[in-house]
Amino acid sequence: MRPGAAVLVSVSLLVLAAGPAAAAPPPRPPLPERMADTGGGSMLITAVAPRTSSTTGTVTWWSRRDGHWERDGSAPARFGSGGLVEGGSRRQGTNTTPTGLYDLPYAFGIEPAPAGTTVPYRPVRQTSWWCQDNDSRSYNRWTDPRPADCRAAESEHLVTYGTQYAYALVVGFNYERPVRGRGAGIFLHVDGPGATAGCVSVPRDAMRRILAWAEPGRAPHIAVGTQDGPTAITRY
């Protein structure tokens, strides 16, 4: 056997033993295509946390084009200081962010709407409140002015949150038919100094971009959930 032939034979046998190279796995479909429901529209915001105890995660906004979902933007997100909990079992005052799929009824802000905003946008005034009083007929509603049956101590005076409510989107959690004690005033808004009281927040620039991106005619929704487990975002 000529020099080097033994090495060549050994290498050839190893290649044969290994067999053909395994095919690369197909690319994973984008998140909205793995979800049980996206709300029926062609725009979706996803807010994903690693686990229910997390207070940080990622918000991504998507558009459906030519039958497929495409990522339009992404930003770091903050959740409630109490983590996340299934929306149907949430209790008011727990500082938890409700998981689930929700519509986005309208936007509001202390500052003027960003250029390009087409969603309904309510300017916050000194008389603007969000009623969180369980005994009020205006529970979980914007009120301007605050009605007599809605106690100030049980509500949010919106103008006092100059940073967070510079721009915000109302999340339709417990909104259409409010259940007393489940929670009120869940928004997607600008980051404050830390975790939220149950809302989802993003940096100021991201909130401006989301407002300019959302088109009411395309029925945008928001899905909030964890990466896996009973509150996995793909279950909604």
Side-chain angles (χ1 to χ4, degrees):
M1 184 178 291
R2 65 182 183 277
V7 174
L8 180 61
V9 170
S10 298
V11 171
S12 299
L13 290 173
L14 286 171
V15 171
L16 290 172
R28 199 178 192 194
L31 177 57
E33 295 183 12
R34 293 182 274 121
M35 292 174 58
D37 189 5
T38 56
S42 58
M43 282 187 156
L44 179 69
I45 299 170
T46 56
V48 185
R51 58 193 67 85
T52 55
S53 60
S54 301
T55 59
T56 60
T58 304
V59 158
T60 306
W61 48 106
W62 312 78
S63 293
R64 189 168 178 82
R65 302 183 183 92
D66 300 323
H68 296 284
W69 287 96
E70 298 178 2
R71 175 184 174 277
D72 289 336
S74 187
R78 292 173 178 169
F79 299 97
S81 60
L84 294 85
V85 68
E86 169 60 43
S89 60
R90 184 184 187 269
R91 301 302 299 170
Q92 188 162 324
T94 56
N95 290 344
T96 52
T97 297
T99 63
L101 177 67
Y102 307 105
D103 63 353
L104 298 162
Y106 58 89
F108 67 87
I110 294 171
E111 298 191 17
T117 300
T118 56
V119 295
Y121 190 89
R122 297 184 181 181
V124 173
R125 302 184 296 185
Q126 284 291 338
T127 51
S128 303
W129 292 73
W130 196 274
C131 184
Q132 299 181 354
D133 188 338
N134 281 284
D135 296 327
S136 173
R137 290 171 296 177
S138 300
Y139 178 68
N140 202 19
R141 287 291 183 271
W142 170 292
T143 63
D144 197 341
R146 179 175 55 83
D149 74 339
C150 183
R151 293 169 291 175
E154 298 293 327
S155 304
E156 281 194 344
H157 192 197
L158 300 178
V159 76
T160 63
Y161 296 90
T163 297
Q164 294 93 324
Y165 297 159
Y167 310 104
L169 267 168
V170 176
V171 174
F173 166 74
N174 199 31
Y175 188 79
E176 185 175 353
R177 297 180 182 86
V179 175
R180 299 305 199 270
R182 183 163 291 171
I186 300 299
F187 312 125
L188 173 63
H189 63 68
V190 177
D191 282 338
T196 73
C199 296
V200 179
S201 72
V202 293
R204 178 187 172 94
D205 179 65
M207 195 66 230
R208 289 177 57 88
R209 290 163 60 198
I210 289 170
L211 287 173
W213 160 87
E215 299 176 34
R218 298 178 66 181
H221 283 67
I222 184 169
V224 183
T226 52
Q227 292 177 355
D228 50 33
T231 55
I233 196 166
T234 51
R235 296 170 64 93
Y236 299 111

